[in-house]
Amino acid sequence: MRAALSETFGTSISHWTFSETKDAPPLIAELGQNWHVSLSHSKYFIVFSLAQFKHGIDIEFQDSVRDTAELSGLVLSDKERSRLKSLQELSSSNFYRIWCTKEAWFKMLPRKIQKTTSLSSLSLDNLFSEDKSVVYEAEIENHQISVVSTEEVPEISFHRAQMEGQNFSIRSVIEGQRVSSWESFFS
């Protein structure tokens, strides 16, 4: 995180001070109050996002051994499960897209609301209609990444950094794709 912050703001890596918070991304003292930070990790990846508006990010390794049908009860709403029955089968790829989107959306919610909210209680219908949120997604090395935000983002780039001693090198940039409706998760 320090390397990406330093690259973004043109500072040294040692410039940044992090304070741990319970069930939330770290506070970054040098950013001030106008910045929103979201954080996620899976397997060998750590992703974080930084913006001056509410947003959330999530990454999940698409494990072919994981029982997505069993997990769907924790992730999908009753209405979503009902719609899926008509499709006969939920593909693993679509499940991870839905899961990551809901996790990113959840992270965008105020902490007080998070305490009484489950992923299955979040409906993708509401995400795209009532909340008017913007959803972006990408896939990198069998990992699904989703970003949900309250505002249009002109460009989202996912940078991969590799630590080499104390230096980080950016390896690749992947452009995220915007998702315009919840039906696209089931195509």
Side-chain angles (χ1 to χ4, degrees), residues 10-62:
T11 63
S12 69
I13 290 177
S14 62
H15 173 79
W16 304 100
T17 307
F18 295 178
S19 300
E20 286 189 42
T21 57
K22 185 178 180 186
D23 299 324
L27 295 175
I28 305 171
E30 294 75 14
L31 287 178
Q33 297 296 321
N34 294 335
W35 291 92
H36 298 268
V37 178
S38 187
L39 180 68
S40 184
H41 61 88
S42 183
K43 278 270 192 194
Y44 307 109
F45 285 93
I46 297 172
V47 294
F48 86 101
S49 54
L50 177 69
Q52 291 186 310
F53 49 83
K54 289 183 183 178
H55 68 284
I57 191 167
D58 192 58
I59 186 169
E60 191 64 43
F61 176 69
Q62 297 181 61

Coordinates of all heavy atoms in Angstrom, one line a residue, residues 10-62:
G10 N 3.5 11.0 -5.1 CA 4.9 11.5 -5.3 C 5.6 11.7 -4.0 O 6.3 12.7 -3.9
T11 N 5.5 10.7 -3.1 CA 6.2 10.8 -1.8 C 7.1 9.6 -1.6 O 7.0 8.6 -2.4 CB 5.2 10.9 -0.6 OG1 4.4 9.7 -0.6 CG2 4.3 12.1 -0.8
S12 N 7.8 9.6 -0.6 CA 8.6 8.4 -0.2 C 7.8 7.4 0.5 O 6.7 7.7 1.1 CB 9.8 8.8 0.7 OG 9.3 9.1 2.0
I13 N 8.2 6.1 0.5 CA 7.5 5.1 1.1 C 7.4 5.3 2.6 O 6.3 5.0 3.2 CB 8.1 3.7 0.8 CG1 7.9 3.3 -0.6 CG2 7.6 2.6 1.7 CD1 8.5 2.1 -1.1
S14 N 8.4 5.9 3.2 CA 8.4 6.1 4.7 C 7.5 7.3 5.1 O 7.2 7.5 6.3 CB 9.8 6.4 5.1 OG 10.3 7.6 4.5
H15 N 6.9 8.0 4.1 CA 6.0 9.1 4.4 C 4.7 8.7 5.1 O 4.1 9.5 5.8 CB 5.7 9.9 3.1 CG 4.7 10.9 3.2 ND1 4.9 12.2 3.7 CD2 3.3 11.0 2.9 CE1 3.9 12.9 3.7 NE2 2.9 12.2 3.2
W16 N 4.2 7.5 4.9 CA 2.9 7.0 5.3 C 2.9 6.4 6.6 O 3.7 5.5 6.9 CB 2.4 6.1 4.2 CG 2.4 6.8 2.9 CD1 3.3 6.6 1.9 CD2 1.5 7.8 2.4 NE1 3.0 7.4 0.8 CE2 1.9 8.1 1.1 CE3 0.3 8.4 2.9 CZ2 1.2 9.1 0.4 CZ3 -0.3 9.3 2.2 CH2 0.1 9.7 0.9
T17 N 1.9 6.8 7.4 CA 1.6 6.2 8.8 C 0.3 5.5 8.8 O -0.7 6.1 8.5 CB 1.7 7.3 9.8 OG1 2.9 8.1 9.7 CG2 1.6 6.7 11.2
F18 N 0.3 4.2 9.1 CA -1.0 3.5 9.2 C -1.3 3.2 10.6 O -0.5 2.9 11.4 CB -0.8 2.1 8.4 CG -0.6 2.2 7.0 CD1 -0.4 1.1 6.2 CD2 -0.6 3.4 6.3 CE1 -0.2 1.1 4.9 CE2 -0.4 3.5 4.9 CZ -0.2 2.3 4.2
S19 N -2.6 3.2 10.9 CA -3.2 2.8 12.2 C -4.2 1.8 12.0 O -5.1 2.0 11.2 CB -3.8 4.0 12.9 OG -2.9 5.0 13.1
E20 N -4.0 0.6 12.7 CA -5.0 -0.5 12.5 C -6.3 -0.1 13.1 O -6.4 0.6 14.1 CB -4.5 -1.7 13.2 CG -3.4 -2.4 12.4 CD -3.0 -3.7 13.0 OE1 -4.0 -4.5 13.4 OE2 -1.8 -4.0 13.1
T21 N -7.4 -0.6 12.5 CA -8.8 -0.4 13.0 C -9.5 -1.7 12.9 O -9.1 -2.6 12.1 CB -9.6 0.6 12.1 OG1 -9.6 0.2 10.8 CG2 -9.0 2.0 12.2
K22 N -10.4 -2.0 13.8 CA -11.1 -3.3 13.9 C -12.1 -3.4 12.8 O -12.9 -2.5 12.5 CB -11.8 -3.4 15.2 CG -12.4 -4.8 15.4 CD -13.0 -4.9 16.8 CE -13.6 -6.3 16.8 NZ -14.4 -6.5 18.0
D23 N -12.0 -4.5 12.0 CA -12.9 -4.8 10.9 C -13.0 -3.7 9.9 O -14.1 -3.4 9.4 CB -14.3 -5.1 11.5 CG -14.3 -6.3 12.4 OD1 -13.6 -7.2 12.1 OD2 -15.1 -6.3 13.4
A24 N -11.9 -3.0 9.6 CA -11.9 -1.9 8.6 C -10.5 -1.8 8.1 O -9.6 -2.2 8.7 CB -12.4 -0.6 9.3
P25 N -10.4 -1.1 6.9 CA -9.0 -0.8 6.4 C -8.3 0.1 7.4 O -8.9 0.8 8.2 CB -9.3 -0.1 5.1 CG -10.7 0.0 4.9 CD -11.4 -0.5 6.1
P26 N -7.0 0.1 7.3 CA -6.2 1.0 8.2 C -6.5 2.4 8.0 O -6.8 2.8 6.9 CB -4.8 0.6 7.9 CG -4.8 0.1 6.5 CD -6.1 -0.6 6.4
L27 N -6.4 3.2 9.0 CA -6.4 4.7 8.9 C -5.1 5.1 8.4 O -4.0 4.7 8.9 CB -6.8 5.4 10.2 CG -8.2 5.0 10.8 CD1 -8.3 5.7 12.1 CD2 -9.3 5.5 9.8
I28 N -5.0 6.0 7.4 CA -3.8 6.6 6.9 C -3.8 8.0 7.2 O -4.4 8.9 6.6 CB -3.7 6.3 5.4 CG1 -3.9 4.8 5.1 CG2 -2.4 6.8 4.8 CD1 -4.0 4.5 3.6
A29 N -3.0 8.4 8.2 CA -3.0 9.7 8.8 C -2.8 10.8 7.8 O -3.4 11.9 7.9 CB -1.9 9.8 9.9
E30 N -1.9 10.6 6.9 CA -1.5 11.7 5.9 C -2.6 12.0 4.9 O -2.5 13.0 4.2 CB -0.2 11.3 5.2 CG 1.0 11.2 6.1 CD 1.1 10.0 7.0 OE1 0.3 9.0 6.8 OE2 1.9 10.0 8.0
L31 N -3.6 11.1 4.8 CA -4.6 11.3 3.8 C -5.7 12.3 4.2 O -6.3 13.0 3.4 CB -5.4 10.0 3.4 CG -4.6 9.0 2.6 CD1 -5.4 7.8 2.4 CD2 -4.2 9.7 1.3
G32 N -6.0 12.4 5.5 CA -7.1 13.3 6.0 C -8.4 12.7 5.8 O -8.6 11.5 5.4
Q33 N -9.5 13.4 6.1 CA -10.8 12.9 6.2 C -11.5 12.7 4.8 O -12.5 12.1 4.7 CB -11.7 13.9 7.0 CG -11.2 14.0 8.5 CD -11.4 12.6 9.2 OE1 -12.3 11.9 9.0 NE2 -10.4 12.3 10.0
N34 N -11.1 13.4 3.8 CA -11.8 13.3 2.5 C -11.5 12.1 1.7 O -12.1 11.9 0.6 CB -11.4 14.6 1.6 CG -11.8 15.9 2.3 OD1 -12.8 15.9 3.0 ND2 -11.1 16.9 2.0
W35 N -10.7 11.2 2.1 CA -10.3 10.0 1.4 C -11.0 8.8 2.0 O -11.1 8.6 3.2 CB -8.8 9.8 1.4 CG -8.1 10.8 0.5 CD1 -7.6 12.0 1.0 CD2 -7.9 10.8 -0.9 NE1 -7.1 12.7 -0.1 CE2 -7.3 12.0 -1.2 CE3 -8.2 9.9 -1.9 CZ2 -6.9 12.3 -2.5 CZ3 -7.9 10.2 -3.2 CH2 -7.2 11.4 -3.5
H36 N -11.5 7.9 1.1 CA -12.1 6.6 1.5 C -11.2 5.5 1.0 O -10.8 5.5 -0.2 CB -13.5 6.5 0.9 CG -14.4 7.5 1.3 ND1 -15.3 7.3 2.4 CD2 -14.7 8.8 0.8 CE1 -16.0 8.4 2.5 NE2 -15.7 9.3 1.6
V37 N -10.9 4.6 1.9 CA -10.0 3.5 1.6 C -10.7 2.2 1.7 O -11.5 2.0 2.6 CB -8.8 3.5 2.6 CG1 -7.9 2.3 2.3 CG2 -8.0 4.8 2.5
S38 N -10.5 1.2 0.8 CA -11.1 -0.1 0.9 C -10.0 -1.1 0.6 O -9.0 -0.8 -0.1 CB -12.2 -0.3 -0.1 OG -12.9 -1.5 0.0
L39 N -10.1 -2.3 1.3 CA -9.0 -3.2 1.3 C -9.5 -4.6 1.2 O -10.6 -4.9 1.8 CB -8.2 -3.1 2.5 CG -7.0 -3.9 2.8 CD1 -5.8 -3.6 1.8 CD2 -6.5 -3.7 4.2
S40 N -8.8 -5.5 0.5 CA -9.2 -6.9 0.4 C -8.0 -7.8 0.0 O -7.0 -7.3 -0.5 CB -10.3 -7.1 -0.7 OG -10.7 -8.4 -0.8
H41 N -8.1 -9.1 0.3 CA -7.0 -10.0 0.0 C -7.5 -11.4 -0.3 O -8.6 -11.8 0.2 CB -5.9 -10.0 1.1 CG -6.4 -10.5 2.4 ND1 -6.5 -11.9 2.7 CD2 -7.0 -9.9 3.4 CE1 -7.0 -12.0 3.9 NE2 -7.3 -10.8 4.4
S42 N -6.8 -12.1 -1.1 CA -7.1 -13.5 -1.4 C -5.9 -14.1 -2.0 O -5.3 -13.6 -2.9 CB -8.3 -13.5 -2.4 OG -8.7 -14.9 -2.7
K43 N -5.6 -15.3 -1.6 CA -4.4 -16.0 -2.0 C -3.2 -15.1 -1.9 O -2.8 -14.7 -0.9 CB -4.6 -16.6 -3.4 CG -5.3 -17.9 -3.5 CD -4.4 -19.0 -3.4 CE -5.1 -20.3 -3.8 NZ -4.3 -21.4 -3.4
Y44 N -2.6 -14.8 -3.1 CA -1.3 -14.0 -3.2 C -1.5 -12.6 -3.5 O -0.6 -11.8 -3.7 CB -0.4 -14.7 -4.2 CG -0.2 -16.1 -4.0 CD1 -0.7 -17.1 -4.8 CD2 0.5 -16.6 -2.9 CE1 -0.5 -18.4 -4.6 CE2 0.7 -17.9 -2.7 CZ 0.2 -18.8 -3.5 OH 0.4 -20.2 -3.3
F45 N -2.8 -12.1 -3.5 CA -3.1 -10.7 -3.9 C -3.6 -9.9 -2.7 O -4.4 -10.5 -1.9 CB -4.1 -10.7 -5.0 CG -3.5 -11.0 -6.4 CD1 -3.6 -12.3 -6.8 CD2 -2.9 -10.1 -7.1 CE1 -3.1 -12.6 -8.1 CE2 -2.4 -10.4 -8.4 CZ -2.5 -11.7 -8.8
I46 N -3.2 -8.7 -2.6 CA -3.8 -7.7 -1.7 C -4.2 -6.6 -2.6 O -3.4 -6.1 -3.4 CB -2.8 -7.2 -0.7 CG1 -2.4 -8.4 0.2 CG2 -3.4 -6.1 0.2 CD1 -1.2 -8.0 1.2
V47 N -5.4 -6.2 -2.6 CA -5.9 -5.0 -3.4 C -6.4 -4.0 -2.4 O -7.0 -4.2 -1.4 CB -7.0 -5.4 -4.4 CG1 -6.4 -6.3 -5.5 CG2 -8.2 -6.0 -3.8
F48 N -6.2 -2.7 -2.8 CA -6.8 -1.6 -2.1 C -7.2 -0.5 -3.0 O -6.6 -0.4 -4.1 CB -5.9 -1.1 -0.9 CG -4.9 -0.1 -1.3 CD1 -5.2 1.2 -1.0 CD2 -3.7 -0.5 -1.9 CE1 -4.2 2.2 -1.3 CE2 -2.8 0.5 -2.2 CZ -3.0 1.8 -1.9
S49 N -8.2 0.2 -2.6 CA -8.6 1.3 -3.5 C -8.7 2.6 -2.6 O -8.9 2.5 -1.4 CB -10.0 1.0 -4.1 OG -10.9 0.7 -3.1
L50 N -8.6 3.7 -3.3 CA -8.5 5.0 -2.7 C -9.2 6.0 -3.6 O -9.0 6.1 -4.8 CB -7.0 5.4 -2.6 CG -6.7 6.7 -2.0 CD1 -7.0 6.8 -0.5 CD2 -5.2 7.0 -2.2
A51 N -10.2 6.7 -3.0 CA -11.0 7.7 -3.7 C -11.6 8.7 -2.8 O -11.6 8.5 -1.6 CB -12.1 7.0 -4.5
Q52 N -12.0 9.8 -3.3 CA -12.6 10.9 -2.5 C -14.1 10.7 -2.5 O -14.9 11.7 -2.4 CB -12.2 12.2 -3.0 CG -10.7 12.5 -2.7 CD -10.2 13.9 -3.0 OE1 -10.5 14.4 -4.1 NE2 -9.6 14.5 -2.0
F53 N -14.6 9.5 -2.6 CA -16.1 9.2 -2.5 C -16.2 7.8 -2.0 O -15.2 7.0 -2.0 CB -16.8 9.4 -3.9 CG -16.1 8.7 -5.0 CD1 -16.2 7.4 -5.3 CD2 -15.2 9.5 -5.8 CE1 -15.6 6.8 -6.4 CE2 -14.5 8.9 -6.9 CZ -14.7 7.5 -7.2
K54 N -17.4 7.4 -1.6 CA -17.6 6.1 -1.0 C -17.4 5.0 -2.1 O -17.9 5.2 -3.2 CB -19.0 6.0 -0.4 CG -19.2 6.7 0.8 CD -20.6 6.5 1.4 CE -20.8 7.3 2.6 NZ -22.2 7.2 3.1
H55 N -16.8 3.9 -1.7 CA -16.6 2.8 -2.6 C -16.1 1.6 -1.8 O -15.8 1.7 -0.6 CB -15.5 3.2 -3.7 CG -14.1 3.3 -3.1 ND1 -13.7 4.4 -2.4 CD2 -13.1 2.4 -3.1 CE1 -12.5 4.2 -2.0 NE2 -12.1 3.0 -2.4
G56 N -16.1 0.5 -2.5 CA -15.6 -0.8 -1.8 C -14.9 -1.6 -2.9 O -15.2 -1.5 -4.1
I57 N -14.0 -2.4 -2.5 CA -13.2 -3.3 -3.4 C -13.2 -4.7 -2.8 O -13.1 -4.9 -1.6 CB -11.8 -2.8 -3.7 CG1 -11.2 -3.6 -4.9 CG2 -10.9 -2.8 -2.5 CD1 -9.9 -2.9 -5.4
D58 N -13.2 -5.7 -3.7 CA -13.1 -7.1 -3.2 C -12.3 -7.9 -4.2 O -12.5 -7.6 -5.4 CB -14.4 -7.7 -2.9 CG -14.2 -9.0 -2.1 OD1 -13.6 -9.0 -1.0 OD2 -14.7 -10.1 -2.6
I59 N -11.6 -8.9 -3.8 CA -10.9 -9.8 -4.6 C -11.2 -11.2 -4.1 O -11.2 -11.4 -2.8 CB -9.4 -9.5 -4.8 CG1 -8.8 -10.5 -5.8 CG2 -8.7 -9.6 -3.4 CD1 -7.3 -10.1 -6.2
E60 N -11.4 -12.2 -4.9 CA -11.6 -13.6 -4.5 C -10.9 -14.5 -5.5 O -11.1 -14.4 -6.7 CB -13.0 -13.9 -4.3 CG -13.4 -15.2 -3.6 CD -12.9 -15.2 -2.2 OE1 -13.1 -14.2 -1.5 OE2 -12.3 -16.2 -1.8
F61 N -10.2 -15.5 -5.0 CA -9.6 -16.5 -5.8 C -10.7 -17.5 -6.3 O -11.6 -17.9 -5.4 CB -8.6 -17.3 -5.1 CG -8.0 -18.5 -5.8 CD1 -7.2 -18.3 -6.9 CD2 -8.3 -19.8 -5.4 CE1 -6.7 -19.4 -7.6 CE2 -7.8 -20.9 -6.1 CZ -7.0 -20.7 -7.2
Q62 N -10.8 -17.7 -7.6 CA -11.9 -18.6 -8.1 C -11.5 -20.0 -8.0 O -11.0 -20.6 -8.9 CB -12.2 -18.2 -9.5 CG -12.7 -16.8 -9.6 CD -13.1 -16.4 -11.0 OE1 -13.9 -17.0 -11.7 NE2 -12.4 -15.3 -11.6

